[in-house]
Amino acid sequence: MSAAETDPTPSPLPIRSSSLKPCNANKEHDSEEDKLESATRPHPKPVLPKCKLRLICNNLDHEGSSIFFSNINPAVSLSQAVDAVLSILYQPTKTNKHIPPTRSVSLTLRSMGGVAYTTGSDIDDDHKEIHFSLDYIKDIASERQQQEIQGVLVHEMVHCWQWNGLGTCPGGLIEGIADFVRLKAGLSPPHWKKEAGGEWDAGYQHTGYFLEWIEESFGEGSVRKINATLQNKKYVEEEFWQRLFQKNVGELWAEYSNTLPKPKERDENTKADIDEEMKAHESNSVT
């Protein structure tokens, strides 16, 4: 390099235009946009919980097993039973903490007396077991097999998901809620009937129809409230019903009973129905 040569003069840095804003100038504006987008963006609706479903059949050679699998798809039927129970007894929330934390339900088909029963498993009470009698299934009339099996599954599934007043709820109310759900699911058998008299907590359909009347009289969701009230408190009969319906259960039962025909009236109605059927039959028989 010659002595006459000098270092090149560096080019000047570009001048920032005064129209340009600092990079954080829109920070507040962007934050508001984010909030608006978050508020308007569709969020997933709360959903009811699911649980693991299992099936155990202790004797595939049993006639009841053949009838069961001929009428029932276990995966579909058990899922439908869970959905029916949860949709009738609960409404979903973000946490679903108001729903029992049942983690699994195992259906065991086996030869035994009775119809079915539900219990907590040996693991812990969050794992439930439904035991269903193959002998009972074997004796179901052919035209009733599918409906009766599904009805029993729904009834027993209620016991996997209902509250029990910390173990103090009367058994009749527990069973009545189960049959109320079966009734609401459209799975009541033809021999069920509403009956006046007796005790309100006789259980099963006797109490189930009483709960149906409460639901109709005090509004949809009344039985859901009964179940919810049994979540964290012990059952004390007088205050329980007063708190929910401002009446004691005896008054409610009397009102319900008054809506039903008395035994004599039922007999007369039955006789009138029979007479009418006989007249219709005789009329149709005339050539």
Side-chain angles (χ1 to χ4, degrees), residues 1 10 23 38 48 72 87 99 105 123 127 136 164 188 211 232 235 237 239 274 286:
M1 180 181 293
C23 61
S38 176
L48 292 165
I72 295 294
S87 63
I99 302 176
V105 176
I123 301 173
H127 298 271
Y136 177 79
N164 64 7
S188 58
L211 295 175
N232 295 316
Y235 176 87
E237 186 161 286
E239 66 180 53
I274 293 172
V286 175

Side-chain angles (χ1 to χ4, degrees), residues 258-270:
N258 287 335
T259 68
L260 303 177
K262 300 298 183 287
K264 185 177 180 181
E265 293 175 2
R266 284 204 302 272
D267 292 342
E268 290 175 352
N269 290 339
T270 301

Side-chain angles (χ1 to χ4, degrees), residues 2-3 19 61 72 86 119 157 173 177 186 226 238-239 250 256:
S2 66
S19 63
D61 290 331
I72 295 294
L86 294 181
T119 184
M157 192 64 74
L173 181 53
I177 290 173
I226 290 173
E238 188 68 26
E239 66 180 53
Y256 164 68

Side-chain angles (χ1 to χ4, degrees), residues 46-49 90-101 163:
V47 295
L48 292 165
Y90 301 99
Q91 289 183 322
T93 64
K94 287 184 178 180
T95 62
N96 285 330
K97 288 183 178 179
H98 62 303
I99 302 176
W163 296 110

